[in-house]
Amino acid sequence: MSRDPLTRPSHPLEPDTPPAPAVPPFDLAYDAVLAKWPPGTTTATVPTPYGTTHVIGHGPAGAPPVLLLAGGGATATGWYGTAAALGGTHRVHAVDLVGEAGRSVADPRRPLRTAADLVGWLDALLHGLGIPDTRPVGLAGHSYGAWIALQYALAAPGRVDRLVLLDPTNCFTGFAPRFLLRALPVLLRPTPARGTALLDWETRGATLDPDWRRLHGLATAFPAVRPVNGPRPTGDRLGTLKPPALVLLAARTRVHDPYAVERWARAAVPGVETAILPDATHFTLPVAAPPDTHARIARHLAG
């Protein structure tokens, strides 16, 4: 019996290999920024009662620990410059906030609802990282991450050695009305295009790392839970802050009035050190911080 030479015989025991699943654009962008971290960087997933927390680590395992908290809608990847400055003297733990963009995963059965929940989450995270209660940590936060850092330092002063607040929001003064007006479309219907437009407006068209800029835009539409918000700490409560604090403010920020923030911080926090960073805007920090910013953070955390 003849056989058509153009017909391939079937091989039922050799099925076609299914195509590899496509990597989501957010994950590709996340990995592109993560690749900018110094050699020796590690990642870990730490279970907590509020969900799993993704942590990027760098520096000697036995060195003094430092926790870095990103701003709202950002990820831990943006701390790569700070990690490079700290990595010789500290063990850096940069955190994707639970419920925010990144690789942490919130537990829907126990959402973060209050500042007390945030304190409980960070307590559990430090325990999961193997940092004993008897060993205080350095704590640094940017924007919303600075608000979380300040809340934790006020609630658990024995756990924080030194504190850095990088252009902190809702810690000493409120937001500028024009920023809230510009941010409203992003809040109402977040899309990458709207997030990038707000970024470009606030940074006044500054030249940014293109990988980080892409990640920032994609993070705008990242599935998230409602962030924990709360009132600003009162002056009396700020007066009880124990860890030595460094407040670094962006001279060209459009998020708030940096000079008003500085005045409030100096009036309320005993012994606070402040500085206004020339040419910086809110969203150029920490990835495009002015020269010496990361070294200044390192000096403060080293005491």
Side-chain angles (χ1 to χ4, degrees), residues 27-209:
D27 287 333
L28 290 173
Y30 190 103
D31 287 337
V33 182
L34 181 59
K36 301 175 190 296
W37 278 62
T41 292
T42 61
T43 61
T45 300
V46 180
T48 77
Y50 300 93
T52 57
T53 302
H54 184 254
V55 181
I56 306 172
H58 180 67
V66 175
L67 207 66
L68 305 179
L69 302 178
T75 73
T77 61
W79 290 107
Y80 56 85
T82 310
L86 292 172
T89 55
H90 292 79
R91 177 62 180 177
V92 171
H93 304 281
V95 180
D96 282 335
L97 304 180
V98 169
E100 293 281 346
R103 290 179 173 165
S104 294
V105 180
D107 186 340
R109 298 169 299 177
R110 193 173 180 184
L112 292 162
R113 297 187 185 279
T114 66
D117 290 338
L118 290 170
V119 171
W121 166 60
L122 287 177
D123 277 338
L125 176 60
L126 293 174
H127 182 267
L129 289 169
I131 302 172
D133 294 346
T134 55
R135 188 172 198 187
V137 301
L139 187 56
H142 170 237
S143 189
Y144 176 57
W147 182 80
I148 296 174
L150 179 60
Q151 293 290 335
Y152 189 74
L154 288 167
R159 286 295 264 149
V160 181
D161 179 44
R162 287 179 171 269
L163 179 67
V164 177
L165 306 178
L166 195 58
D167 214 43
T169 52
N170 206 34
C171 292
F172 305 103
T173 68
F175 291 91
R178 66 172 179 169
F179 175 76
L180 293 177
L181 186 62
R182 282 277 183 166
L184 188 60
V186 181
L187 297 173
L188 292 177
R189 190 165 66 86
T191 66
R194 289 183 173 192
T196 301
L198 179 64
L199 174 71
D200 291 343
W201 171 79
E202 198 284 324
T203 60
R204 304 167 195 261
T207 301
L208 298 170
D209 180 320

